[in-house]
C-alpha cells in the first residue's frame, strides 16, 4: 500500500478518477473513515494539504493514530476499530 501512496504523491495534486461508497468494513475503509472524519478525502490529500511525509499509524493494527485537521486541532484515534457497521456506507473510496 505504501508505495502506491508515495507514487501518487509524486504526481502532486492528484485528483481522484472515480469514487464509490464502501460496502463492507476493511482496514482500508477504517483508515479512510478516519481521514474523512478529519476533513480529508484520504491519505493522499492529507499529505498534500499538511505537507507531511508520514502519517502516524498504530503498529499493532495499522490504523491511523492521529491526524491534524485543517484548523490545526488534532484527532486521536484508538487502536481498535472505530468505524461502526452503520457508518461504513458513508465512507467514500477514491480511485486514482
Amino acid at each position: 500500500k505504501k508505495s502506491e501512496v508515495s507514487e501518487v504523491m509524486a504526481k502532486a495534486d492528484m485528483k481522484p478518477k472515480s469514487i464509490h461508497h464502501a460496502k463492507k468494513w476493511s482496514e482500508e475503509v477504517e483508515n479512510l473513515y478516519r481521514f474523512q472524519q478529519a476533513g480529508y478525502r484520504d491519505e493522499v490529500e492529507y499529505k498534500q494539504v499538511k505537507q507531511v511525509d508520514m502519517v502516524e499509524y498504530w503498529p499493532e493494527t495499522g490504523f491511523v493514530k492521529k491526524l491534524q485537521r485543517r484548523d490545526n486541532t488534532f484527532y486521536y484515534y484508538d487502536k481498535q476499530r472505530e468505524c461502526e457497521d452503520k457508518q461504513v456506507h458513508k465512507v467514500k473510496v477514491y480511485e486514482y
Side-chain angles (χ1 to χ4, degrees):
K1 259 306 181 232
K2 292 279 174 275
S3 63
E4 212 176 279
V5 170
S6 48
E7 227 174 84
V8 170
M9 285 301 296
K11 309 177 189 82
D13 219 31
M14 286 276 299
K15 297 281 180 265
K17 285 200 276 288
S18 68
I19 173 180
H20 63 274
H21 286 268
K23 301 272 185 284
K24 64 184 202 304
W25 185 89
S26 70
E27 278 184 32
E28 183 193 12
V29 168
E30 178 66 38
N31 282 330
L32 285 170
Y33 172 76
R34 294 172 185 218
F35 282 108
Q36 289 168 21
Q37 260 197 324
Y40 304 93
R41 275 194 312 256
D42 51 24
E43 185 174 347
V44 175
E45 185 183 44
Y46 180 77
K47 286 179 170 179
Q48 286 170 358
V49 172
K50 286 294 166 196
Q51 299 290 302
V52 294
D53 296 327
M54 289 290 299
V55 175
E56 276 189 62
Y57 289 93
W58 288 104
E60 301 88 342
T61 58
F63 296 152
V64 173
K65 189 174 188 177
K66 77 172 189 191
L67 293 172
Q68 194 174 12
R69 291 189 345 192
R70 290 171 193 265
D71 64 5
N72 292 331
T73 55
F74 281 94
Y75 273 153
Y76 294 90
Y77 298 100
D78 283 333
K79 287 182 190 133
Q80 286 81 34
R81 173 180 173 174
E82 290 193 11
C83 180
E84 296 171 35
D85 282 332
K86 65 174 186 270
Q87 304 286 348
V88 167
H89 72 280
K90 296 179 186 168
V91 176
K92 296 176 184 141
V93 182
Y94 296 89
E95 303 292 330
Y96 289 91

